[in-house]
Amino acid sequence: MFEEFASLLGLTQFALLYVSSVGGLVCVFLFILGRSIRISREQSVLLDRKDAELALQWRAMEAHAMMNVSDAAGRMVEVNDTLIRASGYSREELLGRRLTEFLMPDDNSPTAVREALELMGYWTGETKLRRKDGGVFWTRTTIVAARDRNGRLERTVSLRTDITEIKARQAEAQNRALLDRLNDEVYVFAADTLQLLYLNRRALAVQGWDNSGYGGRTLADTTEGFDDAVFRDRVAPMLAGETEAMTYESILRGRPVEISLQLEDGYEGRARFIAVVRDISLRRQAEEARSQFVATISHELRSPLTSVLGALKLVTSGAFGQLGKKPGAMLGVALRNVERLIDLINDLLDLEKLDAGRMTFSMTRIDMSALVDEALAANSCYGDQLQVQFRRTGLRAVREIEGDRARLIQVLNNLLSNAAKFSPPGGQVEVELRDAPGALQVLVHDHGTGIPPAAQAHLFERFAQADGTNGRRPGTGLGLSIAKSIVEQHGGSIRFTSTLDVGTTFCVEFPTPLSLSQAA
Amino acid sequence: MTQTPRILHVEDDPDIREIALVALEVVGGLTVDQCASGPEALQRAPGIAPDLLLLDVMMPGMSGEDTLAGLRAMPQFADTPAIFMTAKAQPAEVEKLRQLGAAEVITKPFDPMTLADQVLAIWERSRAGG
């Protein structure tokens, strides 16, 4: 027993030399002790006197460093309590297994260890290990090889110091160095007290503080007129664990900003917020310029189109007498295409408004049943032109939803005109109103060509109109995309089913006022 | 006896003036006087004594809104029904024009075959106090 202990120390003393953080004194002392143990049994009396100190030093090493002894095959034959505590595994779970089994997949140290043991008899480096609970712990490690007289590997002794916290701090320092390079302001603050824990360089510059100047300050010190209650209301879903991140726009120091908030656990287990504040003045200016550009262009286009459309309509309507067949047909072509251009301009304006979130909806209670009648009346003339008949089916009773009347008419017009356009002459389009659980549905059935499967996936995308208008008035390819956006702004949904040469059914579903109030 | 209104149409674009004139007079049988600018309208309006004002919104110099304000400052036009015509069809824009005292807003491009009917309907509604 004593000899085993002495032999173990012989290896240990050597290993300890390479563990700087163990402390030089401990190493030297144990080294001397190890040697003295081997000197002679006659000096055992002296050693006896040293036993207490030896045990003390051993305990110090035990407390500080993780240790394992492995056999020639790399299987652990001895592990100390510190390694057991750090890894979370029991002694029984560790013994007989190779330590490499506990390395994280991105730890490439085994190759280096083998080569160093072969060449030099020891290896020092860092290892990244997996705890039983799935966590990671980093160690500074020295492994020493013991060989027999023939140079065959007998065993290795590994000493490890936990450097997880140092690695975490290094990573955080690197992250902070990166954050300092950002043009966005970054604030890290405690979730409970809102005390500032970190500001990046940009945030410090904006606040006019130096690096040490925010120690006792809180988030309230960063913004004039900061309302604690409003902020806590806003982040309540994050603190309740409903969401980990949120982004919102605000005005800070007179400038529009986008604020991204993230909640995370700090190293001390104390929840903290990371806020990234981005100045979006330039983005806003660009959006404003684009919006202005679209509005101006559309106005500038509409004025000449008013003249062209007006002149063509007057001439083709016979206001100046009947036209010959050919000139009439040619002017008809011109008229249809002017109308198409006007549709396109209107659709582009709508899309611009939807994209910019500037389409306003004046919501009122609307009887969908009456609205369907209105849409049918508005489209009957178009149906007549295409020799397509509209027929109302399903519910006829009053059914109210919350909506914007003009926009809902726009959606119905789109669906009805599409259905007529894709129907054969002499065809029929049924418009059905029906109840659904918590919702009201309008279905538009046509018996036309159907939508090719390849086109179905992209039907609501812009400019995605499928072929098959049979040479009739083509659309802008924007109508369904706009209809979908409008329906979704109403909290509803739009979908379709289609079979080639059988027909297509579009279904628009709106929540009924009762389900809306329940959802609220 | 159906009385038709005498209309003062103010529009800077000569082509649109031409279309509107045909639409209102030839198609609709109404009586129309036209001006090419706001200042011209303010100068000629007392002599024309219109029953209804039809004003383009975006005109160089004096806008349709300013023209209406100028006409409203004359006691004889303080209550004359006014219709704006605009190529800016955004609801917010339309609402703003209504706030200025417009009886209705007609968006461009308009349909020349139905313009006279539209204008008459608005005039009838205004006369009825609607």
Side-chain angles (χ1 to χ4, degrees):
Chain A
M1 170 69 189
F2 185 81
E3 277 174 349
E4 267 187 37
F5 187 48
S7 160
L8 196 57
L9 274 178
L11 284 167
T12 309
Q13 57 167 343
F14 190 49
L16 281 173
L17 279 175
Y18 300 96
V19 186
S20 58
S21 51
V22 167
L25 274 174
V26 176
C27 293
V28 170
F29 193 71
L30 286 173
F31 180 74
I32 293 166
L33 275 177
R35 280 192 64 156
S36 66
I37 288 164
R38 281 204 309 276
I39 291 168
S40 77
R41 284 180 178 274
E42 285 78 10
Q43 288 175 321
S44 60
V45 177
L46 179 65
L47 279 175
D48 285 342
R49 285 213 303 272
K50 297 281 187 184
D51 270 357
E53 286 174 66
L54 174 63
L56 186 67
Q57 298 301 336
W58 182 252
R59 267 172 40 214
M61 190 195 73
E62 274 273 305
H64 182 94
M66 296 162 241
M67 189 189 76
N68 66 282
V69 181
S70 300
D71 64 15
R75 283 185 290 268
M76 288 183 272
V77 295
E78 180 57 56
V79 293
N80 75 344
D81 291 342
T82 310
L83 179 58
I84 289 167
R85 271 197 306 278
S87 68
Y89 290 98
S90 67
R91 192 178 302 277
E92 291 69 34
E93 285 171 319
L94 290 171
L95 290 179
R97 292 176 72 183
R98 290 179 175 83
L99 196 108
T100 49
E101 295 172 38
F102 302 94
L103 287 174
M104 294 299 285
D106 58 341
D107 186 323
N108 299 317
S109 61
T111 310
V113 171
R114 266 197 306 277
E115 286 172 1
L117 291 183
E118 194 66 39
L119 274 172
M120 301 184 292
Y122 71 94
W123 176 82
T124 295
E126 292 175 352
T127 56
K128 190 178 177 186
L129 295 154
R130 190 184 64 249
R131 284 199 304 265
K132 190 178 181 182
D133 64 8
V136 172
F137 69 111
W138 280 91
T139 66
R140 178 78 181 162
T141 303
T142 293
I143 303 174
V144 182
R147 296 179 185 279
D148 65 13
R149 282 180 187 156
N150 299 320
R152 280 196 297 267
L153 183 70
E154 275 191 338
R155 56 175 65 184
T156 59
V157 174
S158 306
L159 285 176
R160 301 169 193 278
T161 309
D162 192 336
I163 57 166
T164 308
E165 196 149 325
I166 295 167
K167 296 297 277 187
R169 285 197 189 130
Q170 281 174 352
E172 179 146 328
Q174 280 173 1
N175 289 342
R176 288 184 178 191
L178 282 174
L179 292 177
D180 274 340
R181 299 175 77 93
L182 285 181
N183 273 330
D184 300 334
E185 299 158 48
V186 179
Y187 299 84
V188 179
F189 49 95
D192 48 2
T193 60
L194 307 187
Q195 189 185 352
L196 295 170
L197 305 172
Y198 169 76
L199 277 74
N200 76 340
R201 194 174 295 167
R202 175 78 187 146
L204 285 170
V206 166
Q207 299 296 338
W209 299 341
D210 65 32
N211 208 7
S212 58
Y214 56 89
R217 290 182 162 132
T218 72
L219 191 63
D221 297 309
T222 63
T223 313
E224 204 175 327
F226 177 81
D227 191 324
D228 193 78
V230 169
F231 181 78
R232 287 185 191 280
D233 270 359
R234 191 191 288 280
V235 298
M238 296 177 80
L239 292 171
E242 291 163 21
T243 174
E244 280 181 8
M246 62 165 60
T247 300
Y248 58 97
E249 291 184 5
S250 183
I251 302 287
L252 284 183
R253 298 174 292 276
R255 299 175 78 87
V257 293
E258 181 186 82
I259 300 174
S260 299
L261 271 180
Q262 185 108 25
L263 182 66
E264 66 144 41
D265 293 327
Y267 290 117
E268 300 82 17
R270 198 174 160 204
R272 59 188 189 170
F273 282 111
I274 301 165
V276 180
V277 180
R278 174 167 292 178
D279 188 327
I280 53 170
S281 320
L282 288 177
R283 193 202 297 173
R284 279 287 168 79
Q285 281 168 20
E287 283 169 3
E288 191 56 43
R290 189 188 70 156
S291 181
Q292 194 59 43
F293 177 76
V294 172
T296 304
I297 288 290
S298 67
H299 175 262
E300 293 305 320
L301 286 172
R302 270 174 197 237
S303 292
L305 282 173
T306 301
S307 301
V308 177
L309 179 76
L312 286 171
K313 276 206 167 176
L314 286 169
V315 173
T316 54
S317 301
F320 307 111
Q322 287 304 309
L323 294 167
K325 198 177 172 188
K326 278 276 178 190
M330 288 299 105
L331 286 173
V333 170
L335 180 60
R336 280 195 299 279
N337 283 282
V338 169
E339 284 173 338
R340 195 176 160 199
L341 261 179
I342 292 163
D343 287 348
L344 189 58
I345 291 166
N346 289 340
D347 284 356
L348 283 173
L349 265 177
D350 280 349
L351 275 182
E352 195 281 323
K353 275 182 277 180
L354 283 165
D355 284 351
R358 270 200 278 260
M359 183 175 274
T360 49
F361 292 88
S362 46
M363 305 297 266
T364 52
R365 281 283 173 101
I366 291 167
D367 174 16
M368 208 60 196
S369 188
L371 207 72
V372 167
D373 279 339
E374 203 176 309
L376 285 170
N379 282 275
S380 66
C381 190
Y382 184 54
D384 290 346
Q385 283 174 28
L386 300 176
Q387 299 167 48
V388 174
Q389 195 190 355
F390 291 106
R391 193 164 69 86
R392 171 95 189 252
T393 62
L395 278 172
R396 287 188 175 269
V398 172
R399 283 288 185 279
E400 287 191 328
I401 66 158
E402 292 277 338
D404 180 304
R405 183 180 187 78
R407 292 298 176 192
L408 291 179
I409 280 280
Q410 186 178 349
V411 171
L412 293 179
N413 281 347
N414 177 266
L415 295 180
L416 294 185
S417 62
N418 274 351
K421 209 184 300 173
F422 288 93
S423 292
Q428 186 167 273
V429 171
E430 290 96 35
V431 184
E432 180 187 353
L433 185 68
R434 72 180 187 199
D435 288 322
L440 189 65
Q441 293 178 339
V442 183
L443 295 102
V444 180
H445 311 274
D446 73 50
H447 306 280
T449 47
I451 302 162
Q456 291 190 10
H458 307 286
L459 205 66
F460 291 107
E461 291 173 13
R462 293 171 190 184
F463 299 108
Q465 191 171 66
D467 291 333
T469 51
N470 300 330
R472 297 165 180 210
R473 182 182 169 183
T476 62
L478 296 170
L480 272 178
S481 172
I482 293 168
K484 183 170 185 279
S485 294
I486 291 173
V487 170
E488 285 172 354
Q489 294 279 342
H490 282 77
S493 62
I494 184 167
R495 54 185 181 273
F496 66 91
T497 54
S498 186
T499 310
L500 274 182
D501 298 324
V502 174
T504 303
T505 297
F506 273 87
C507 173
V508 193
E509 186 171 298
F510 298 100
T512 50
L514 184 64
S515 65
L516 275 176
S517 63
Q518 280 169 350
Chain B
M1 188 185 88
T2 308
Q3 191 196 344
T4 56
R6 187 182 186 90
I7 297 165
L8 173 60
H9 179 215
V10 188
E11 165 66 65
D12 65 300
D13 187 317
D15 289 340
I16 296 179
R17 276 207 305 276
E18 180 73 26
I19 301 288
L21 190 67
V22 175
L24 296 169
E25 281 195 344
V26 179
V27 179
L30 304 177
T31 310
V32 181
D33 288 277
Q34 291 188 308
C35 295
S37 70
E40 186 192 338
L42 295 184
Q43 191 195 345
R44 289 183 51 207
I48 296 168
D51 303 307
L52 183 73
L53 307 168
L54 187 58
L55 309 167
D56 179 35
V57 176
M58 283 186 70
M59 292 188 287
M62 183 181 277
S63 69
E65 294 104 307
D66 293 341
T67 305
L68 180 62
L71 288 167
R72 288 276 186 253
M74 300 177 192
Q76 66 269 45
F77 303 121
D79 299 315
T80 309
I83 302 170
F84 276 121
M85 297 182 88
T86 179
K88 281 190 171 179
Q90 287 95 331
E93 195 75 24
V94 171
E95 189 50 39
K96 194 184 90 186
L97 294 171
R98 287 221 170 95
Q99 299 283 331
L100 286 170
E104 195 52 84
V105 180
I106 293 174
T107 55
K108 293 179 184 173
F110 55 84
D111 181 352
M113 300 311 291
T114 59
L115 181 67
D117 289 344
Q118 246 182 306
V119 167
L120 265 179
I122 296 163
W123 186 65
E124 294 286 352
R125 210 170 62 215
S126 299
R127 276 212 313 175

